[in-house]
Amino acid sequence: MGETLEVIDKGSTTNAHPLPLLFVHGAWHAAWCWDAHFLEFFVDRGYRAAALSLRGHGRSATAKPLRACSFEDYLDDIDAVATTMPGDPILIGHSMGGFLVQRYLQHRTAPAAVLMASMPPSGSLASGLRWMKRHPWHFAKMSATRRSLPYVSTPALARERFFSATTPDSVVTACVARLQEESARCGTDGMRNLPKPELITADILVLGAAADGAVPPDEVVATARAYGTVAELFPRMGHNMMLEPGWATVGERIDEWLVERGL
């Protein structure tokens, strides 16, 4: 595919956990959001845990301008990393990454998947309308400039979208310092070529955050319903579930769920 992708890969598979975990980040983020806590957490429990940065994110290269990168490009990135791993990895996707995982599962196999504060199968239209209603001037400027980073990358805006009201300022500012521009195509890609849950056979755990400013609980519930399961919501937690102060409770639930399935 001609792209050099950043992959943070830690630990090794064990008899207890013979399949690797592959973590997929959301918009404006990169592999670092998983490396802050989650990768070591799962390595300590006997997993091989890897996180990729999609092209144009983190240290991953992109052969074309980021604004032109599509969800199909991002799916190629996930596939490129997954095919280098021993066996089909268990996929864990957050936000936009959760939407990509759903798309991935339509055509590729995986033993299981976890969706964390994921965009729902219905796509990003409702999210865009909420953003337009809450910040109409921001939305107008994004539409004109095709740039979205300025409207998520102040401490106040990042807290509104990614964190709960009680998250320490230090956590918010550390995240803000690492956010990057997102592809301008993502807004439209999130409204077309939607996942088809009826084609997906993998066992899926659906997790959400009760104080999420980006993906509200009702969308998490709708995602779970689409996959014939029940959403699990973490109270007083914001969108960035892997960085919030309660991140370990999320990790523990994922580990418990995987152990129950012999994974």
Side-chain angles (χ1 to χ4, degrees):
M1 70 177 181
E3 310 292 345
T4 302
L5 298 174
E6 175 187 31
V7 181
I8 304 175
D9 193 348
K10 297 185 175 183
S12 57
T13 56
T14 60
N15 289 336
H17 302 297
L19 295 174
L21 309 180
L22 179 57
F23 293 85
V24 185
H25 65 82
W28 305 290
H29 290 64
W32 58 263
C33 70
W34 302 109
D35 195 31
H37 303 298
F38 262 42
L39 297 188
E40 291 293 346
F41 176 92
F42 284 99
V43 167
D44 288 346
R45 282 154 180 78
Y47 296 89
R48 178 180 174 183
L52 82 153
S53 293
L54 301 168
R55 65 184 70 188
H57 299 73
R59 294 185 175 89
S60 289
T62 177
K64 59 184 177 182
L66 175 64
R67 64 179 179 275
C69 291
S70 68
F71 277 5
E72 293 301 325
D73 292 325
Y74 292 166
L75 287 168
D76 285 345
D77 295 342
I78 298 170
D79 194 48
V81 175
T83 55
T84 68
M85 306 185 86
D88 293 326
I90 297 159
L91 297 166
I92 302 174
H94 175 252
S95 195
M96 180 187 77
F99 187 87
L100 294 171
V101 166
Q102 294 172 67
R103 288 280 311 279
Y104 180 94
L105 292 173
Q106 285 182 206
H107 306 293
R108 301 161 179 89
T109 59
V114 180
L115 305 179
M116 291 172 51
S118 174
M119 281 173 53
S122 57
S124 60
L125 177 59
S127 176
L129 292 174
R130 285 193 301 273
W131 201 342
M132 183 168 61
K133 182 177 180 180
R134 187 180 302 161
H135 295 294
W137 181 231
H138 287 181
F139 199 84
K141 288 191 283 187
M142 282 191 292
S143 299
T145 65
R146 308 293 285 169
R147 296 182 65 240
S148 58
L149 181 63
Y151 312 108
V152 299
S153 60
T154 69
L157 291 171
R159 182 182 293 279
E160 178 183 300
R161 190 167 188 86
F162 301 128
F163 296 99
S164 71
T166 59
T167 303
D169 289 343
S170 59
V171 174
V172 178
T173 55
C175 177
V176 166
R178 303 192 76 166
L179 296 176
Q180 296 174 270
E181 188 59 76
E182 187 50 74
S183 169
R185 281 196 58 170
C186 287
T188 53
D189 278 4
M191 292 186 285
R192 59 190 182 188
N193 295 325
L194 301 178
K196 296 180 174 61
E198 66 274 13
L199 300 180
I200 296 172
T201 59
D203 203 3
I204 296 178
L205 174 65
V206 178
L207 305 178
D212 195 329
V215 180
D218 65 315
E219 291 192 354
V220 179
V221 170
T223 297
R225 187 180 301 117
Y227 292 104
T229 188
V230 177
E232 299 183 29
L233 297 171
F234 289 77
R236 299 178 297 281
M237 182 169 281
H239 184 66
N240 276 6
M241 302 173 72
M242 75 294 283
L243 297 174
E244 284 276 78
W247 66 266
T249 62
V250 182
E252 287 164 1
R253 177 58 187 131
I254 295 171
D255 177 43
E256 177 185 55
W257 185 80
L258 293 173
V259 168
E260 288 170 354
R261 284 152 183 78
L263 299 171

